[in-house]
Amino acid sequence: MAKSWALDYDPATCNIAAALAVVGEKWTFLVLREAFNGIRRFDDMQRRTGAPRQVLSSRLSRLVAEGILGKAPYQEPGQRLRHEYRLTEKGIELFPVIAALLAWGDKHAAAPGGPPVELTHRDCGAPVFLQLTCSQGHVLGSARDVTPIPGAGARRVA
Amino acid sequence: MAKSWALDYDPATCNIAAALAVVGEKWTFLVLREAFNGIRRFDDMQRRTGAPRQVLSSRLSRLVAEGILGKAPYQEPGQRLRHEYRLTEKGIELFPVIAALLAWGDKHAAAPGGPPVELTHRDCGAPVFLQLTCSQGHVLGSARDVTPIPGAGARRVA
DNA sequence: CTTGCTAAGTCTGTCAAGTAGACCTAGCCT
DNA sequence: AGGCTAGGTCTACTTGACAGACTTAGCAAG
């Protein structure tokens, strides 16, 4: 690899950093994992993530403020009014991030005994995975087949 | 959605948590981003991520210890011996995580002016994106088409 | 040979954030 | 009235992030 073109561009504009500013904190991903598992209640979240209550409270508020989770009141019969947290569309679109972490974890950080959870296609039941694809329809085998190039919003460094 | 099956299983075994234990810290993703950009030297990393030198030092050591980066000596003519950090195969396989964050950031957290970086297919130049696919060849439109099920390593909660 | 420069760190003091555990509150149930 | 539960908040402690100065090795210029 030659000297990287990236050195000539300003990294401050990178949207990875922007995404991480919203969801990059330690417990946030675990909260999202549980949200994708269908967990919606504070105490279930707390028990399953192990996050301190105060941190969980703060992360949930943040995710609601960012529009990744919605907070809605609901009431079960004979119970008092409660709130539940559900993924919004914006939140659901974070799924590839979670799926990619899961795939990597299964391969490189797995506990013995096989994967504790598997993703399947709702319609046919077959296992689901992430694939790098280009708009010409080629399937890419690895990140080595990807070339990052400066886009419309790129700014040269002074 | 009915009561989640997930409540009956132990979340401690989840490989997402295992992955996050390795790469889940605040600056780690930015370090990886720069690594994928072809940045290999400490000072370039420091300047581009903005991480405090001490934190960067500690994150790089961690990533080397985990086998995600390799530290190799090299020498340019007329220069003294230096070290560079390069992604290992294990590190390269984290690319989908970065790509997923980038895609989400482009859509939901973008600065005006368009994406600062785009991913293209090395062979044909067309834009690259992540696609959820099942082993039957179906392309999934959204996370809603995915059903997580307990896998071989799942443990019921007592 | 002394002084300076650069890359790649380490050291120090300060301050924000995470953490454990107790406490609080509203509504329902007995 | 008293107790239970979900969903928090309060307090005190400990860890980690941070900025800025210092260190070290090797090359180079004076």
Side-chain angles (χ1 to χ4, degrees):
Chain A
M1 216 186 294
K3 176 175 165 302
S4 174
W5 61 267
L7 282 170
D8 296 331
Y9 288 90
D10 183 358
T13 59
C14 176
N15 285 330
I16 293 174
L20 287 173
V22 179
V23 296
E25 279 156 312
K26 183 178 171 187
W27 295 104
T28 303
F29 282 111
L30 292 181
V31 170
L32 290 172
R33 175 190 75 186
E34 296 306 327
F36 281 109
N37 277 339
I39 308 299
R40 304 198 207 113
R41 286 158 57 155
F42 189 93
D43 267 28
D44 289 335
M45 286 266 186
Q46 205 269 316
R47 189 157 14 84
R48 293 178 58 80
T49 60
R53 300 177 76 78
Q54 193 155 258
V55 173
L56 178 58
S57 176
S58 133
R59 293 301 170 273
L60 285 171
S61 309
R62 179 81 202 279
L63 288 171
V64 169
E66 295 287 349
I68 290 167
L69 295 179
K71 186 178 188 175
Y74 73 107
Q75 193 156 23
E76 290 173 8
Q79 300 276 304
R80 66 187 238 242
L81 185 75
R82 303 186 187 292
H83 292 274
E84 62 174 8
Y85 298 92
R86 313 188 68 144
L87 288 162
T88 62
E89 194 60 34
K90 184 173 173 182
I92 286 177
E93 287 175 5
L94 278 167
F95 186 73
V97 181
I98 299 287
L101 279 169
L102 177 59
W104 189 87
D106 280 346
K107 179 158 183 189
H108 293 289
V117 64
E118 285 171 26
L119 306 178
T120 61
H121 188 183
R122 189 191 48 187
D123 296 346
C124 76
V128 163
F129 46 90
L130 280 170
Q131 216 169 237
L132 281 168
T133 313
C134 84
S135 62
Q136 297 291 309
H138 303 125
V139 173
L140 284 70
S142 126
R144 266 189 277 265
D145 297 330
V146 177
T147 305
I149 59 168
R155 285 204 312 255
R156 285 197 159 267
V157 176
Chain B
M1 213 185 296
K3 175 174 167 301
S4 174
W5 60 268
L7 282 171
D8 296 330
Y9 288 89
D10 182 0
T13 59
C14 178
N15 285 330
I16 293 175
L20 287 173
V22 179
V23 296
E25 278 155 313
K26 182 177 171 189
W27 295 104
T28 303
F29 282 112
L30 292 181
V31 170
L32 289 172
R33 175 191 75 188
E34 296 306 328
F36 281 110
N37 277 339
I39 307 299
R40 302 198 209 112
R41 285 159 58 154
F42 188 94
D43 268 27
D44 289 336
M45 286 265 184
Q46 204 269 318
R47 190 157 10 84
R48 293 178 58 80
T49 61
R53 301 179 75 79
Q54 194 154 249
V55 174
L56 178 58
S57 175
S58 133
R59 292 300 171 275
L60 285 172
S61 310
R62 179 80 203 280
L63 289 171
V64 169
E66 295 287 348
I68 290 167
L69 296 179
K71 186 176 189 176
Y74 74 106
Q75 193 154 24
E76 290 172 9
Q79 301 277 304
R80 69 185 234 243
L81 186 75
R82 300 185 190 294
H83 292 273
E84 63 175 7
Y85 298 91
R86 315 189 69 142
L87 288 162
T88 62
E89 196 55 37
K90 184 173 174 182
I92 287 177
E93 288 175 5
L94 277 166
F95 186 73
V97 180
I98 300 287
L101 279 169
L102 178 59
W104 190 87
D106 281 346
K107 180 158 183 188
H108 293 289
V117 64
E118 285 171 28
L119 306 178
T120 61
H121 187 183
R122 188 192 50 187
D123 296 345
C124 77
V128 163
F129 46 91
L130 279 171
Q131 213 169 238
L132 280 168
T133 313
C134 83
S135 60
Q136 297 290 309
H138 303 125
V139 172
L140 283 69
S142 123
R144 265 190 277 266
D145 297 330
V146 176
T147 305
I149 59 166
R155 284 204 313 256
R156 285 198 160 267
V157 176

